Amino acid sequence: MAPVADKAELRRRFRAVAPLNEEQVHALCGNLYRAVKRHPAVRQVLVFLPTKKEPDLTPLYRRLLEEGYALYAPRCGRQGRMEFYRFDTVEQCAPGLYGILEPTGDERPSCPRPLMLVPGLAFTADGVRLGKGGGYYDRYLAAHPCIRIGVCPSACLAGWLPAEAYDIPVDEVVTERKESHESDKRTKEK
């Protein structure tokens, strides 16, 4: 099958992928936990609070909080801007601009290079991301250096995705089936 260059069509295709079941979400949380632990010096993790179609990673977040990690989730504003704020429990968060849970506190990350779990509709193994189209993550990542871990179901790994100059790739991709999809090129550059 020829690659589809139209991002709108690709978004439709990947939105149609069935959500992960409970067992698959459990496996994804385990793989993400091991990915976070590969960066022992980083104790601040930027996470996402899921929409209905994204996996609920609350068990992972609880485990990281119990181990003393500081977790931050996005608060979205208009004009495609978002900032991350600390939360101690998901229950402390409230629906924001788009109905997605957001932290209510005001503490931002202080680490010069925190780790970020980046949601996406699809990724390639070498880090190209297809987002929802709002540009929130690309704008944030362009201005804030992070260790970037893409999160998606294995069914949403693509051999190729279109990328614009402003698209920020992730350093690795974690799915329910595999702890890390890192390209050889990216691994050698580190």
Side-chain angles (χ1 to χ4, degrees):
M1 175 180 358
V4 175
D6 178 19
K7 285 187 177 183
E9 174 58 28
L10 286 167
R11 286 185 179 102
R12 278 191 290 280
R13 283 187 187 182
F14 287 110
R15 280 187 178 114
V17 171
L20 297 177
N21 64 36
E22 188 176 327
E23 181 180 318
Q24 292 168 321
V25 171
H26 180 75
L28 176 61
C29 285
N31 290 341
L32 286 168
Y33 176 77
R34 287 184 286 282
V36 170
K37 297 304 265 185
R38 283 196 298 273
H39 303 277
V42 178
R43 301 298 292 178
Q44 294 185 349
V45 182
L46 311 183
V47 302
F48 59 94
L49 298 172
T51 63
K52 291 177 184 175
K53 295 284 278 185
E54 294 169 332
D56 183 357
L57 304 179
T58 303
L60 169 67
Y61 302 162
R62 286 191 180 114
R63 185 174 183 183
L64 293 174
L65 288 164
E66 287 171 4
E67 293 184 14
Y69 284 84
L71 299 188
Y72 302 81
R75 191 181 306 155
C76 295
R78 304 214 183 269
Q79 291 86 39
R81 301 282 179 214
M82 73 178 179
E83 290 295 333
F84 283 78
Y85 295 92
R86 189 169 181 171
F87 68 97
D88 294 315
T89 68
V90 173
E91 292 75 25
Q92 290 175 331
C93 299
L97 181 64
Y98 298 106
I100 301 168
L101 291 178
E102 297 181 347
T104 56
D106 292 323
E107 182 183 335
R108 292 186 184 178
S110 58
C111 176
R113 193 165 181 249
L115 187 145
M116 179 190 279
L117 301 183
V118 182
L121 292 174
F123 290 90
T124 64
D126 62 347
V128 175
R129 174 180 172 269
L130 178 67
K132 293 180 181 177
Y136 284 90
Y137 278 87
D138 289 319
R139 276 188 281 284
Y140 187 87
L141 290 168
H144 301 86
C146 295
I147 299 165
R148 303 172 306 268
I149 298 177
V151 181
C152 76
S154 58
C156 293
L157 282 175
W160 176 90
L161 290 170
E164 308 297 332
Y166 54 80
D167 289 330
I168 305 292
V170 297
D171 300 307
E172 65 181 288
V173 179
V174 174
T175 69
E176 80 283 6
R177 290 191 180 171
K178 194 160 181 185
E179 286 182 34
S180 179
H181 297 267
E182 261 184 319
S183 75
D184 291 336
K185 178 184 171 197
R186 236 179 246 291
T187 304
K188 289 175 188 170
E189 289 174 356
K190 287 186 179 182

